[in-house]
Amino acid sequence: RLKIAVTEAPADGKANEAVLALLAKQWGLPKSRFAIEAGATGRSKSVAIEGDATELARRLETWWQEQAFGKR
C-alpha cells in the first residue's frame, strides 16, 4: 500500500489522472499502462498496471529502494 498525495481537485477525475501520471513518471512507464481498478470516487484506490509481472516487480523494487535509501 502506498500513500500518495496530489494537488489536483477530485472533480472530473483530475485527481485520479494525477495519481496515474505520478506513478507512470516515477516508474518510467507509459501512463496508458495504469488504470484505476477500484475506488475511482473514493480516497482509497486500487491501481492496475499492465505488463510483465516480473518486470513490474523489478521496477517496483528499484523504485522502493530509491525511496527508502535515496538514489545512488
Side-chain angles (χ1 to χ4, degrees):
R1 182 176 285 197
L2 301 174
K3 185 173 184 176
I4 298 172
V6 296
T7 57
E8 289 290 339
D12 300 323
K14 290 180 182 178
N16 289 341
E17 288 298 315
V19 167
L20 297 179
L22 176 64
L23 290 172
K25 181 178 179 181
Q26 289 293 308
W27 292 353
L29 295 168
K31 193 170 102 175
S32 61
R33 298 206 13 213
F34 292 80
I36 302 291
E37 191 171 70
T41 60
R43 292 178 62 100
S44 295
K45 301 173 185 327
S46 293
V47 176
I49 309 169
E50 181 184 308
D52 177 68
T54 303
E55 174 64 16
L56 293 173
R58 185 191 64 75
R59 285 178 183 262
L60 176 59
E61 179 64 26
T62 299
W63 176 82
W64 187 258
Q65 292 296 322
E66 289 173 352
Q67 300 310 302
F69 302 110
K71 291 187 179 182
R72 296 178 191 186

Short mmCIF file of all heavy atoms in Angstrom, two decimals:
data_model
loop_
_atom_site.label_atom_id
_atom_site.label_comp_id
_atom_site.label_asym_id
_atom_site.label_seq_id
_atom_site.Cartn_x
_atom_site.Cartn_y
_atom_site.Cartn_z
N ARG A 1 0.84 -1.17 0.00
CA ARG A 1 0.00 0.00 0.00
C ARG A 1 0.89 1.23 0.00
O ARG A 1 1.83 1.32 0.77
CB ARG A 1 -0.88 -0.02 1.24
CG ARG A 1 -1.82 1.15 1.29
CD ARG A 1 -2.72 1.05 2.47
NE ARG A 1 -3.72 0.04 2.17
CZ ARG A 1 -4.84 -0.08 2.81
NH1 ARG A 1 -5.10 0.71 3.83
NH2 ARG A 1 -5.69 -1.00 2.49
N LEU A 2 0.59 2.15 -0.88
CA LEU A 2 1.32 3.41 -0.97
C LEU A 2 0.39 4.55 -0.59
O LEU A 2 -0.79 4.51 -0.91
CB LEU A 2 1.81 3.65 -2.40
CG LEU A 2 2.73 2.62 -3.01
CD1 LEU A 2 2.97 2.95 -4.48
CD2 LEU A 2 4.03 2.56 -2.25
N LYS A 3 0.93 5.56 0.02
CA LYS A 3 0.17 6.77 0.30
C LYS A 3 0.69 7.83 -0.66
O LYS A 3 1.88 8.15 -0.66
CB LYS A 3 0.36 7.20 1.74
CG LYS A 3 -0.50 8.38 2.10
CD LYS A 3 -0.42 8.68 3.59
CE LYS A 3 -1.37 9.80 3.93
NZ LYS A 3 -1.37 10.05 5.38
N ILE A 4 -0.21 8.35 -1.49
CA ILE A 4 0.14 9.33 -2.50
C ILE A 4 -0.73 10.56 -2.31
O ILE A 4 -1.94 10.43 -2.12
CB ILE A 4 -0.07 8.76 -3.91
CG1 ILE A 4 0.84 7.55 -4.13
CG2 ILE A 4 0.18 9.82 -4.97
CD1 ILE A 4 0.58 6.82 -5.41
N ALA A 5 -0.14 11.71 -2.38
CA ALA A 5 -0.90 12.96 -2.30
C ALA A 5 -0.67 13.75 -3.58
O ALA A 5 0.47 13.89 -4.03
CB ALA A 5 -0.46 13.78 -1.09
N VAL A 6 -1.74 14.25 -4.15
CA VAL A 6 -1.66 15.10 -5.34
C VAL A 6 -2.41 16.39 -5.05
O VAL A 6 -3.26 16.44 -4.18
CB VAL A 6 -2.23 14.40 -6.59
CG1 VAL A 6 -1.40 13.17 -6.95
CG2 VAL A 6 -3.68 14.00 -6.40
N THR A 7 -2.09 17.42 -5.81
CA THR A 7 -2.71 18.72 -5.56
C THR A 7 -3.95 18.97 -6.41
O THR A 7 -4.65 19.93 -6.18
CB THR A 7 -1.70 19.86 -5.81
OG1 THR A 7 -1.22 19.75 -7.15
CG2 THR A 7 -0.53 19.77 -4.83
N GLU A 8 -4.19 18.11 -7.38
CA GLU A 8 -5.37 18.28 -8.23
C GLU A 8 -6.66 18.06 -7.44
O GLU A 8 -6.72 17.20 -6.56
CB GLU A 8 -5.35 17.29 -9.40
CG GLU A 8 -4.30 17.58 -10.43
CD GLU A 8 -4.59 18.82 -11.25
OE1 GLU A 8 -5.75 19.26 -11.33
OE2 GLU A 8 -3.64 19.37 -11.81
N ALA A 9 -7.69 18.80 -7.79
CA ALA A 9 -9.00 18.63 -7.17
C ALA A 9 -9.62 17.32 -7.64
O ALA A 9 -9.37 16.87 -8.75
CB ALA A 9 -9.90 19.79 -7.55
N PRO A 10 -10.44 16.69 -6.79
CA PRO A 10 -11.04 15.41 -7.18
C PRO A 10 -12.14 15.54 -8.23
O PRO A 10 -12.67 14.54 -8.69
CB PRO A 10 -11.59 14.87 -5.86
CG PRO A 10 -11.78 16.06 -5.00
CD PRO A 10 -10.73 17.04 -5.41
N ALA A 11 -12.46 16.74 -8.65
CA ALA A 11 -13.53 16.95 -9.62
C ALA A 11 -13.12 16.46 -11.01
O ALA A 11 -11.97 16.59 -11.43
CB ALA A 11 -13.88 18.44 -9.69
N ASP A 12 -14.06 15.88 -11.71
CA ASP A 12 -13.89 15.45 -13.11
C ASP A 12 -12.73 14.46 -13.31
O ASP A 12 -12.13 14.41 -14.37
CB ASP A 12 -13.69 16.65 -14.04
CG ASP A 12 -14.89 17.60 -14.03
OD1 ASP A 12 -16.03 17.11 -13.94
OD2 ASP A 12 -14.66 18.82 -14.08
N GLY A 13 -12.39 13.70 -12.28
CA GLY A 13 -11.35 12.69 -12.41
C GLY A 13 -9.93 13.24 -12.47
O GLY A 13 -8.99 12.50 -12.76
N LYS A 14 -9.76 14.54 -12.20
CA LYS A 14 -8.43 15.14 -12.31
C LYS A 14 -7.44 14.56 -11.30
O LYS A 14 -6.28 14.36 -11.61
CB LYS A 14 -8.52 16.66 -12.16
CG LYS A 14 -9.17 17.31 -13.35
CD LYS A 14 -9.24 18.81 -13.19
CE LYS A 14 -9.94 19.43 -14.39
NZ LYS A 14 -10.08 20.86 -14.25
N ALA A 15 -7.91 14.29 -10.08
CA ALA A 15 -7.02 13.71 -9.07
C ALA A 15 -6.60 12.30 -9.47
O ALA A 15 -5.44 11.92 -9.32
CB ALA A 15 -7.69 13.71 -7.70
N ASN A 16 -7.53 11.52 -10.00
CA ASN A 16 -7.20 10.17 -10.47
C ASN A 16 -6.15 10.22 -11.57
O ASN A 16 -5.18 9.46 -11.56
CB ASN A 16 -8.44 9.44 -10.98
CG ASN A 16 -9.39 9.07 -9.87
OD1 ASN A 16 -9.01 9.02 -8.71
ND2 ASN A 16 -10.62 8.79 -10.23
N GLU A 17 -6.32 11.11 -12.51
CA GLU A 17 -5.35 11.26 -13.60
C GLU A 17 -3.99 11.68 -13.06
O GLU A 17 -2.95 11.23 -13.54
CB GLU A 17 -5.86 12.27 -14.63
CG GLU A 17 -7.01 11.75 -15.46
CD GLU A 17 -6.62 10.52 -16.28
OE1 GLU A 17 -5.55 10.51 -16.91
OE2 GLU A 17 -7.41 9.56 -16.27
N ALA A 18 -3.98 12.55 -12.06
CA ALA A 18 -2.72 13.00 -11.46
C ALA A 18 -2.01 11.83 -10.77
O ALA A 18 -0.78 11.72 -10.86
CB ALA A 18 -2.98 14.14 -10.48
N VAL A 19 -2.76 10.98 -10.10
CA VAL A 19 -2.17 9.81 -9.44
C VAL A 19 -1.54 8.90 -10.49
O VAL A 19 -0.39 8.45 -10.33
CB VAL A 19 -3.23 9.05 -8.61
CG1 VAL A 19 -2.72 7.67 -8.19
CG2 VAL A 19 -3.62 9.85 -7.38
N LEU A 20 -2.27 8.61 -11.56
CA LEU A 20 -1.75 7.73 -12.60
C LEU A 20 -0.51 8.34 -13.27
O LEU A 20 0.46 7.63 -13.55
CB LEU A 20 -2.83 7.44 -13.63
CG LEU A 20 -4.06 6.69 -13.11
CD1 LEU A 20 -5.07 6.47 -14.22
CD2 LEU A 20 -3.69 5.40 -12.43
N ALA A 21 -0.54 9.64 -13.52
CA ALA A 21 0.60 10.32 -14.14
C ALA A 21 1.82 10.26 -13.22
O ALA A 21 2.95 10.04 -13.69
CB ALA A 21 0.24 11.77 -14.48
N LEU A 22 1.61 10.44 -11.93
CA LEU A 22 2.72 10.40 -10.98
C LEU A 22 3.34 9.01 -10.94
O LEU A 22 4.57 8.86 -11.00
CB LEU A 22 2.22 10.79 -9.59
CG LEU A 22 3.24 10.69 -8.46
CD1 LEU A 22 4.38 11.67 -8.68
CD2 LEU A 22 2.58 10.94 -7.13
N LEU A 23 2.52 7.97 -10.86
CA LEU A 23 3.03 6.61 -10.85
C LEU A 23 3.79 6.29 -12.14
O LEU A 23 4.87 5.71 -12.11
CB LEU A 23 1.90 5.61 -10.65
CG LEU A 23 1.26 5.61 -9.26
CD1 LEU A 23 0.03 4.72 -9.25
CD2 LEU A 23 2.25 5.19 -8.20
N ALA A 24 3.22 6.68 -13.27
CA ALA A 24 3.87 6.42 -14.55
C ALA A 24 5.24 7.10 -14.63
O ALA A 24 6.22 6.48 -15.06
CB ALA A 24 2.97 6.89 -15.69
N LYS A 25 5.31 8.32 -14.19
CA LYS A 25 6.58 9.05 -14.22
C LYS A 25 7.60 8.41 -13.29
O LYS A 25 8.76 8.20 -13.69
CB LYS A 25 6.35 10.51 -13.82
CG LYS A 25 7.60 11.35 -13.85
CD LYS A 25 7.31 12.78 -13.50
CE LYS A 25 8.60 13.59 -13.50
NZ LYS A 25 8.37 14.98 -13.13
N GLN A 26 7.18 8.09 -12.08
CA GLN A 26 8.10 7.52 -11.11
C GLN A 26 8.65 6.16 -11.55
O GLN A 26 9.80 5.85 -11.29
CB GLN A 26 7.41 7.37 -9.75
CG GLN A 26 7.16 8.68 -9.05
CD GLN A 26 8.46 9.34 -8.64
OE1 GLN A 26 9.31 8.74 -8.00
NE2 GLN A 26 8.63 10.59 -9.01
N TRP A 27 7.82 5.35 -12.20
CA TRP A 27 8.23 4.01 -12.59
C TRP A 27 8.70 3.93 -14.02
O TRP A 27 9.06 2.85 -14.50
CB TRP A 27 7.10 3.02 -12.33
CG TRP A 27 6.83 2.85 -10.86
CD1 TRP A 27 7.57 3.36 -9.83
CD2 TRP A 27 5.76 2.14 -10.26
NE1 TRP A 27 7.01 3.00 -8.63
CE2 TRP A 27 5.90 2.25 -8.87
CE3 TRP A 27 4.69 1.42 -10.77
CZ2 TRP A 27 5.02 1.66 -7.98
CZ3 TRP A 27 3.81 0.84 -9.87
CH2 TRP A 27 3.98 0.97 -8.50
N GLY A 28 8.71 5.05 -14.74
CA GLY A 28 9.22 5.07 -16.10
C GLY A 28 8.41 4.23 -17.07
O GLY A 28 8.97 3.60 -17.96
N LEU A 29 7.10 4.25 -16.90
CA LEU A 29 6.20 3.50 -17.77
C LEU A 29 5.21 4.45 -18.42
O LEU A 29 4.90 5.51 -17.86
CB LEU A 29 5.43 2.45 -16.96
CG LEU A 29 6.25 1.33 -16.34
CD1 LEU A 29 5.42 0.54 -15.34
CD2 LEU A 29 6.79 0.41 -17.43
N PRO A 30 4.64 4.07 -19.56
CA PRO A 30 3.61 4.91 -20.18
C PRO A 30 2.36 4.97 -19.28
O PRO A 30 1.98 3.97 -18.67
CB PRO A 30 3.27 4.19 -21.49
CG PRO A 30 4.35 3.20 -21.71
CD PRO A 30 4.96 2.90 -20.38
N LYS A 31 1.77 6.14 -19.21
CA LYS A 31 0.56 6.32 -18.40
C LYS A 31 -0.57 5.39 -18.84
O LYS A 31 -1.39 4.96 -18.03
CB LYS A 31 0.11 7.78 -18.47
CG LYS A 31 -0.93 8.13 -17.42
CD LYS A 31 -1.17 9.61 -17.36
CE LYS A 31 -2.46 9.89 -18.07
NZ LYS A 31 -2.88 11.26 -17.99
N SER A 32 -0.56 5.01 -20.11
CA SER A 32 -1.62 4.15 -20.64
C SER A 32 -1.60 2.75 -20.02
O SER A 32 -2.58 2.02 -20.11
CB SER A 32 -1.49 4.03 -22.16
OG SER A 32 -0.24 3.45 -22.51
N ARG A 33 -0.52 2.38 -19.34
CA ARG A 33 -0.42 1.07 -18.70
C ARG A 33 -1.02 1.04 -17.31
O ARG A 33 -1.11 -0.02 -16.68
CB ARG A 33 1.03 0.62 -18.67
CG ARG A 33 1.56 0.49 -20.08
CD ARG A 33 2.66 -0.42 -20.37
NE ARG A 33 3.10 -1.39 -19.45
CZ ARG A 33 4.38 -1.77 -19.34
NH1 ARG A 33 5.29 -1.21 -20.12
NH2 ARG A 33 4.72 -2.69 -18.49
N PHE A 34 -1.47 2.19 -16.81
CA PHE A 34 -2.05 2.29 -15.47
C PHE A 34 -3.54 2.56 -15.58
O PHE A 34 -3.98 3.31 -16.45
CB PHE A 34 -1.41 3.46 -14.70
CG PHE A 34 0.04 3.23 -14.37
CD1 PHE A 34 1.02 3.45 -15.31
CD2 PHE A 34 0.41 2.81 -13.11
CE1 PHE A 34 2.36 3.25 -15.01
CE2 PHE A 34 1.74 2.60 -12.80
CZ PHE A 34 2.72 2.82 -13.75
N ALA A 35 -4.30 1.96 -14.66
CA ALA A 35 -5.75 2.20 -14.62
C ALA A 35 -6.24 2.09 -13.19
O ALA A 35 -5.75 1.26 -12.41
CB ALA A 35 -6.48 1.20 -15.51
N ILE A 36 -7.21 2.93 -12.85
CA ILE A 36 -7.86 2.82 -11.55
C ILE A 36 -8.77 1.60 -11.63
O ILE A 36 -9.69 1.56 -12.44
CB ILE A 36 -8.68 4.08 -11.20
CG1 ILE A 36 -7.80 5.34 -11.20
CG2 ILE A 36 -9.41 3.90 -9.88
CD1 ILE A 36 -6.80 5.43 -10.09
N GLU A 37 -8.50 0.60 -10.81
CA GLU A 37 -9.27 -0.63 -10.83
C GLU A 37 -10.45 -0.57 -9.88
O GLU A 37 -11.50 -1.13 -10.15
CB GLU A 37 -8.34 -1.79 -10.43
CG GLU A 37 -8.92 -3.15 -10.66
CD GLU A 37 -7.87 -4.21 -10.46
OE1 GLU A 37 -7.44 -4.42 -9.30
OE2 GLU A 37 -7.47 -4.82 -11.46
N ALA A 38 -10.29 0.11 -8.76
CA ALA A 38 -11.37 0.26 -7.78
C ALA A 38 -11.13 1.55 -7.01
O ALA A 38 -10.00 1.98 -6.83
CB ALA A 38 -11.39 -0.92 -6.83
N GLY A 39 -12.22 2.17 -6.57
CA GLY A 39 -12.11 3.36 -5.74
C GLY A 39 -11.99 4.67 -6.50
O GLY A 39 -11.50 5.65 -5.96
N ALA A 40 -12.46 4.71 -7.72
CA ALA A 40 -12.32 5.93 -8.54
C ALA A 40 -12.94 7.15 -7.89
O ALA A 40 -12.47 8.27 -8.10
CB ALA A 40 -12.92 5.71 -9.92
N THR A 41 -13.98 6.97 -7.09
CA THR A 41 -14.64 8.12 -6.47
C THR A 41 -14.29 8.27 -5.00
O THR A 41 -14.78 9.18 -4.34
CB THR A 41 -16.17 8.03 -6.63
OG1 THR A 41 -16.63 6.83 -5.99
CG2 THR A 41 -16.57 8.04 -8.09
N GLY A 42 -13.44 7.41 -4.47
CA GLY A 42 -13.07 7.48 -3.06
C GLY A 42 -11.62 7.88 -2.87
O GLY A 42 -10.87 8.08 -3.82
N ARG A 43 -11.24 7.97 -1.61
CA ARG A 43 -9.86 8.33 -1.29
C ARG A 43 -8.89 7.17 -1.46
O ARG A 43 -7.73 7.35 -1.79
CB ARG A 43 -9.78 8.87 0.14
CG ARG A 43 -10.49 10.20 0.30
CD ARG A 43 -10.43 10.68 1.74
NE ARG A 43 -9.06 10.91 2.17
CZ ARG A 43 -8.47 12.09 2.23
NH1 ARG A 43 -9.14 13.16 1.87
NH2 ARG A 43 -7.24 12.20 2.64
N SER A 44 -9.35 5.95 -1.18
CA SER A 44 -8.53 4.75 -1.35
C SER A 44 -8.78 4.16 -2.72
O SER A 44 -9.93 4.00 -3.12
CB SER A 44 -8.86 3.71 -0.27
OG SER A 44 -8.51 4.19 1.00
N LYS A 45 -7.72 3.83 -3.41
CA LYS A 45 -7.83 3.34 -4.78
C LYS A 45 -7.00 2.09 -4.98
O LYS A 45 -5.99 1.90 -4.31
CB LYS A 45 -7.35 4.39 -5.77
CG LYS A 45 -8.13 5.68 -5.66
CD LYS A 45 -7.57 6.77 -6.48
CE LYS A 45 -8.27 8.08 -6.27
NZ LYS A 45 -9.66 8.08 -5.98
N SER A 46 -7.41 1.26 -5.89
CA SER A 46 -6.60 0.14 -6.37
C SER A 46 -6.22 0.47 -7.80
O SER A 46 -7.07 0.82 -8.60
CB SER A 46 -7.40 -1.16 -6.33
OG SER A 46 -7.67 -1.54 -5.01
N VAL A 47 -4.94 0.35 -8.08
CA VAL A 47 -4.43 0.68 -9.41
C VAL A 47 -3.90 -0.59 -10.06
O VAL A 47 -3.11 -1.32 -9.44
CB VAL A 47 -3.32 1.74 -9.32
CG1 VAL A 47 -2.71 2.02 -10.69
CG2 VAL A 47 -3.86 3.02 -8.71
N ALA A 48 -4.33 -0.86 -11.28
CA ALA A 48 -3.82 -1.98 -12.05
C ALA A 48 -2.73 -1.46 -12.98
O ALA A 48 -2.83 -0.36 -13.52
CB ALA A 48 -4.94 -2.61 -12.88
N ILE A 49 -1.68 -2.27 -13.14
CA ILE A 49 -0.58 -1.92 -14.02
C ILE A 49 -0.44 -3.04 -15.04
O ILE A 49 -0.23 -4.20 -14.67
CB ILE A 49 0.74 -1.73 -13.26
CG1 ILE A 49 0.56 -0.78 -12.08
CG2 ILE A 49 1.84 -1.23 -14.20
CD1 ILE A 49 1.73 -0.75 -11.13
N GLU A 50 -0.54 -2.68 -16.30
CA GLU A 50 -0.42 -3.67 -17.38
C GLU A 50 1.04 -3.94 -17.68
O GLU A 50 1.84 -3.01 -17.78
CB GLU A 50 -1.11 -3.11 -18.63
CG GLU A 50 -1.09 -4.04 -19.81
CD GLU A 50 -1.69 -3.37 -21.03
OE1 GLU A 50 -2.81 -2.85 -20.93
OE2 GLU A 50 -1.01 -3.35 -22.07
N GLY A 51 1.38 -5.21 -17.81
CA GLY A 51 2.75 -5.55 -18.17
C GLY A 51 3.18 -6.87 -17.59
O GLY A 51 2.43 -7.54 -16.88
N ASP A 52 4.41 -7.25 -17.87
CA ASP A 52 5.00 -8.48 -17.38
C ASP A 52 5.21 -8.38 -15.87
O ASP A 52 5.86 -7.45 -15.38
CB ASP A 52 6.33 -8.71 -18.08
CG ASP A 52 7.05 -9.93 -17.56
OD1 ASP A 52 6.54 -11.04 -17.80
OD2 ASP A 52 8.11 -9.76 -16.92
N ALA A 53 4.69 -9.34 -15.12
CA ALA A 53 4.74 -9.30 -13.66
C ALA A 53 6.17 -9.25 -13.13
O ALA A 53 6.47 -8.52 -12.18
CB ALA A 53 4.00 -10.50 -13.09
N THR A 54 7.08 -9.99 -13.74
CA THR A 54 8.47 -10.00 -13.29
C THR A 54 9.11 -8.64 -13.49
O THR A 54 9.80 -8.12 -12.59
CB THR A 54 9.28 -11.08 -14.05
OG1 THR A 54 8.64 -12.35 -13.83
CG2 THR A 54 10.71 -11.13 -13.58
N GLU A 55 8.88 -8.04 -14.64
CA GLU A 55 9.44 -6.71 -14.93
C GLU A 55 8.84 -5.66 -14.00
O GLU A 55 9.55 -4.79 -13.49
CB GLU A 55 9.20 -6.35 -16.39
CG GLU A 55 9.61 -4.93 -16.75
CD GLU A 55 11.10 -4.65 -16.62
OE1 GLU A 55 11.90 -5.59 -16.53
OE2 GLU A 55 11.47 -3.47 -16.58
N LEU A 56 7.54 -5.73 -13.78
CA LEU A 56 6.88 -4.76 -12.89
C LEU A 56 7.40 -4.91 -11.47
O LEU A 56 7.64 -3.90 -10.79
CB LEU A 56 5.37 -4.93 -12.94
CG LEU A 56 4.72 -4.56 -14.27
CD1 LEU A 56 3.24 -4.93 -14.25
CD2 LEU A 56 4.89 -3.09 -14.60
N ALA A 57 7.60 -6.13 -11.01
CA ALA A 57 8.14 -6.36 -9.67
C ALA A 57 9.54 -5.78 -9.55
O ALA A 57 9.90 -5.18 -8.53
CB ALA A 57 8.13 -7.84 -9.34
N ARG A 58 10.35 -5.94 -10.59
CA ARG A 58 11.71 -5.38 -10.59
C ARG A 58 11.67 -3.86 -10.51
O ARG A 58 12.39 -3.24 -9.75
CB ARG A 58 12.48 -5.81 -11.84
CG ARG A 58 13.95 -5.35 -11.82
CD ARG A 58 14.62 -5.55 -13.17
NE ARG A 58 14.02 -4.74 -14.22
CZ ARG A 58 14.20 -3.41 -14.36
NH1 ARG A 58 14.93 -2.74 -13.51
NH2 ARG A 58 13.64 -2.76 -15.36
N ARG A 59 10.78 -3.25 -11.31
CA ARG A 59 10.66 -1.78 -11.29
C ARG A 59 10.19 -1.29 -9.93
O ARG A 59 10.68 -0.28 -9.41
CB ARG A 59 9.71 -1.30 -12.37
CG ARG A 59 10.30 -1.35 -13.76
CD ARG A 59 9.27 -0.90 -14.78
NE ARG A 59 9.77 -1.01 -16.11
CZ ARG A 59 10.29 0.01 -16.80
NH1 ARG A 59 10.36 1.20 -16.27
NH2 ARG A 59 10.72 -0.18 -18.02
N LEU A 60 9.22 -2.00 -9.34
CA LEU A 60 8.71 -1.62 -8.03
C LEU A 60 9.81 -1.72 -6.98
O LEU A 60 9.98 -0.82 -6.16
CB LEU A 60 7.51 -2.48 -7.64
CG LEU A 60 6.94 -2.24 -6.25
CD1 LEU A 60 6.48 -0.79 -6.10
CD2 LEU A 60 5.81 -3.20 -5.97
N GLU A 61 10.58 -2.80 -7.01
CA GLU A 61 11.67 -2.97 -6.05
C GLU A 61 12.71 -1.88 -6.20
O GLU A 61 13.17 -1.30 -5.21
CB GLU A 61 12.31 -4.35 -6.23
CG GLU A 61 13.48 -4.59 -5.29
CD GLU A 61 13.09 -4.61 -3.82
OE1 GLU A 61 11.93 -4.92 -3.50
OE2 GLU A 61 13.96 -4.30 -2.98
N THR A 62 13.09 -1.55 -7.44
CA THR A 62 14.06 -0.48 -7.69
C THR A 62 13.53 0.85 -7.17
O THR A 62 14.23 1.59 -6.47
CB THR A 62 14.36 -0.38 -9.20
OG1 THR A 62 14.93 -1.62 -9.63
CG2 THR A 62 15.33 0.76 -9.49
N TRP A 63 12.28 1.14 -7.48
CA TRP A 63 11.66 2.40 -7.03
C TRP A 63 11.63 2.45 -5.51
O TRP A 63 11.98 3.46 -4.91
CB TRP A 63 10.25 2.51 -7.61
CG TRP A 63 9.52 3.71 -7.13
CD1 TRP A 63 9.63 4.98 -7.62
CD2 TRP A 63 8.58 3.77 -6.07
NE1 TRP A 63 8.81 5.83 -6.90
CE2 TRP A 63 8.15 5.10 -5.95
CE3 TRP A 63 8.06 2.82 -5.20
CZ2 TRP A 63 7.22 5.51 -5.00
CZ3 TRP A 63 7.14 3.23 -4.24
CH2 TRP A 63 6.73 4.56 -4.16
N TRP A 64 11.23 1.33 -4.88
CA TRP A 64 11.12 1.29 -3.43
C TRP A 64 12.49 1.53 -2.77
O TRP A 64 12.59 2.28 -1.80
CB TRP A 64 10.55 -0.05 -2.99
CG TRP A 64 10.25 -0.10 -1.54
CD1 TRP A 64 10.98 -0.70 -0.56
CD2 TRP A 64 9.14 0.51 -0.87
NE1 TRP A 64 10.40 -0.51 0.66
CE2 TRP A 64 9.27 0.23 0.50
CE3 TRP A 64 8.05 1.25 -1.31
CZ2 TRP A 64 8.34 0.68 1.44
CZ3 TRP A 64 7.14 1.70 -0.37
CH2 TRP A 64 7.29 1.41 0.99
N GLN A 65 13.52 0.92 -3.30
CA GLN A 65 14.87 1.11 -2.76
C GLN A 65 15.31 2.56 -2.89
O GLN A 65 15.93 3.12 -1.98
CB GLN A 65 15.87 0.18 -3.46
CG GLN A 65 15.68 -1.28 -3.16
CD GLN A 65 15.91 -1.62 -1.70
OE1 GLN A 65 16.80 -1.07 -1.07
NE2 GLN A 65 15.09 -2.50 -1.16
N GLU A 66 14.99 3.18 -4.02
CA GLU A 66 15.36 4.59 -4.23
C GLU A 66 14.63 5.48 -3.23
O GLU A 66 15.19 6.45 -2.72
CB GLU A 66 15.04 5.03 -5.65
CG GLU A 66 15.97 4.43 -6.67
CD GLU A 66 15.55 4.74 -8.09
OE1 GLU A 66 14.44 5.31 -8.31
OE2 GLU A 66 16.30 4.41 -9.01
N GLN A 67 13.38 5.17 -2.93
CA GLN A 67 12.62 5.97 -1.99
C GLN A 67 13.14 5.79 -0.57
O GLN A 67 13.23 6.76 0.18
CB GLN A 67 11.12 5.60 -2.04
CG GLN A 67 10.47 5.80 -3.38
CD GLN A 67 10.73 7.16 -3.97
OE1 GLN A 67 10.41 8.18 -3.38
NE2 GLN A 67 11.33 7.19 -5.14
N ALA A 68 13.48 4.57 -0.22
CA ALA A 68 13.92 4.26 1.14
C ALA A 68 15.34 4.73 1.42
O ALA A 68 15.64 5.21 2.50
CB ALA A 68 13.80 2.76 1.39
N PHE A 69 16.22 4.59 0.42
CA PHE A 69 17.64 4.85 0.66
C PHE A 69 18.22 5.95 -0.21
O PHE A 69 19.41 6.20 -0.17
CB PHE A 69 18.45 3.56 0.42
CG PHE A 69 17.97 2.42 1.28
CD1 PHE A 69 17.31 1.34 0.72
CD2 PHE A 69 18.16 2.43 2.66
CE1 PHE A 69 16.86 0.30 1.50
CE2 PHE A 69 17.71 1.40 3.44
CZ PHE A 69 17.06 0.32 2.87
N GLY A 70 17.41 6.58 -1.01
CA GLY A 70 17.89 7.63 -1.91
C GLY A 70 18.50 7.05 -3.17
O GLY A 70 18.97 5.92 -3.17
N LYS A 71 18.46 7.83 -4.23
CA LYS A 71 19.06 7.38 -5.48
C LYS A 71 20.56 7.29 -5.33
O LYS A 71 21.18 8.14 -4.73
CB LYS A 71 18.69 8.33 -6.63
CG LYS A 71 17.25 8.25 -6.97
CD LYS A 71 16.94 9.07 -8.19
CE LYS A 71 15.46 8.93 -8.52
NZ LYS A 71 15.09 9.64 -9.71
N ARG A 72 21.13 6.25 -5.89
CA ARG A 72 22.59 6.05 -5.78
C ARG A 72 23.25 6.30 -7.08
O ARG A 72 22.83 6.18 -8.12
CB ARG A 72 22.86 4.63 -5.33
CG ARG A 72 22.31 4.39 -3.95
CD ARG A 72 22.54 2.97 -3.54
NE ARG A 72 21.76 2.76 -2.35
CZ ARG A 72 21.80 1.67 -1.65
NH1 ARG A 72 22.58 0.70 -2.00
NH2 ARG A 72 21.08 1.53 -0.58
#
